[in-house]
Amino acid sequence: MKIDVLTIFPEFFTQVFDFGIIRRAKLAGIVEIKVHDIREFAVDKHKMTDDRPFGGGDGMVMKPEPIFAAIQHLLGTTNRDEYPQGTKVVMLSPQGKPLKQAVARSFADEAKHLVLICGRYEGIDERVNETLVTDEISIGDYVLSGGEPAAVVLTDAIVRLLPEALGSDTSAENDSFSDGLLDCPHYTRPAEFMGMKVPDVLLNGNHAEIEKWRQQMAFDKTKLNRPDLLTGDNGDM
Ligand code: 9D3
């Protein structure tokens, strides 16, 4: 998979993709990630990427021209109907569709080339959405200062699902969410630490009983922290 990130803060990403699964996936040739400075596609002599909103109001809006130029450079067209098969242009925005595991899964399964557009300021000229963007994604109901952290979250969630990205010691199938419940608690040595004991059931070697305990604990944790996941009104896991 190829991932191109468009941002006015390319330095934000200098270290973040160089650790763990993403680093390994890059080294194994499973994913190629490039970060592009939107300012380098600015058309005027001052390299402006934002301007005042038509209709008035506070704040600035990102100009369309640099983003159209960047997409023309990356994809050879600014008409989303002409993108090659498997190409997705994703706008990270508070107005987007909520990111869920199923959304990450469908990008991992279907996309060959992802272009992630990170907004700043009050937003991006809507003509970018109307013409270039295939998917508008939010990572949740809280206010970020820009799309960059969301692009990192989305990239991480997708790359770890690419075939062969996970080490053999880990399984995407066993993950929290794949069965619609949160994960159970985990313990390792020592069996007693500062007077706190590991639950006996984990030490007795009865694997049927251990599995039953883990399912119960996963259910209890889900009921406590995410009751929405139990009532079926969750975003299609
Ligand atoms: C006053 C209206 N705000 C919209 C809800 C303004 C505004 C807030 C935050 C405009 C841009 C932003 C920057 N956020 C993102 O670009 C963003 C985001 C987020 O804030 N929350 C969750 N997901 C995302 S994805 C991109």
Side-chain angles (χ1 to χ4, degrees):
M1 178 182 284
K2 259 171 66 178
I3 302 178
D4 288 290
V5 182
L6 300 180
T7 173
I8 59 165
F9 295 131
E11 293 92 344
F12 185 95
F13 299 91
T14 45
Q15 304 250 36
V16 78
F17 295 137
D18 286 340
F19 298 92
I21 290 169
I22 297 184
R23 176 187 156 85
R24 262 200 291 143
K26 281 164 64 181
L27 291 171
I30 293 162
V31 68
E32 181 185 0
I33 304 175
K34 289 186 184 159
V35 179
H36 308 269
D37 188 347
I38 291 170
R39 189 171 297 277
E40 296 194 351
F41 296 94
V43 287
D44 63 303
K45 67 171 183 186
H46 295 110
K47 302 262 170 211
M48 295 296 298
T49 59
D50 62 329
D51 205 339
R52 292 154 60 207
F54 277 124
D58 289 334
M60 300 291 271
V61 176
M62 290 179 75
K63 292 166 66 59
E65 301 97 318
I67 296 171
F68 272 71
I71 294 293
Q72 177 69 40
H73 171 78
L74 291 172
L75 301 180
T77 176
T78 56
N79 178 353
R80 65 185 165 202
D81 300 329
E82 296 175 356
Y83 293 162
Q85 170 81 37
T87 300
K88 298 283 189 186
V89 174
V90 179
M91 169 73 74
L92 285 314
S93 134
Q95 285 74 48
K97 165 171 134 176
L99 178 60
K100 295 284 183 275
Q101 187 64 17
V103 174
R105 167 67 66 190
S106 78
F107 282 126
D109 289 348
E110 289 157 31
K112 298 203 240 335
H113 189 182
L114 279 179
V115 181
L116 309 183
I117 304 175
C118 307
R120 280 272 156 180
Y121 316 116
E122 286 311 295
I124 302 188
D125 188 288
E126 187 64 15
R127 288 165 289 192
V128 169
N129 265 319
E130 292 165 2
T131 309
L132 304 178
V133 171
T134 60
D135 301 85
E136 190 175 8
I137 301 285
S138 160
I139 63 163
D141 296 337
Y142 36 79
V143 181
L144 301 173
S145 48
E148 285 79 5
V152 172
V153 167
L154 179 61
T155 298
D156 191 90
I158 293 169
V159 169
R160 61 185 299 288
L161 291 175
L162 296 176
E164 325 246 307
L166 286 185
S168 51
D169 53 330
T170 339
S171 156
E173 295 320 306
N174 265 332
D175 278 356
S176 204
F177 290 125
S178 59
D179 60 359
L181 290 183
L182 302 182
D183 204 359
C184 64
H186 303 279
Y187 296 88
T188 186
R189 294 187 295 176
E192 183 174 344
F193 172 64
M194 290 176 68
M196 297 175 285
K197 291 192 167 125
V198 171
D200 278 336
V201 60
L202 296 178
L203 306 176
N204 72 11
N206 182 337
H207 293 285
E209 208 183 311
I210 290 170
E211 189 47 37
K212 215 179 96 188
W213 178 86
R214 285 181 168 158
Q215 282 177 18
Q216 185 61 52
M217 296 300 280
F219 180 85
D220 292 350
K221 180 77 89 176
T222 305
K223 189 164 180 187
L224 182 69
N225 286 343
R226 294 294 305 279
D228 57 303
L229 295 181
L230 298 175
T231 55
D233 64 348
N234 61 85
D236 69 291
M237 293 295 183

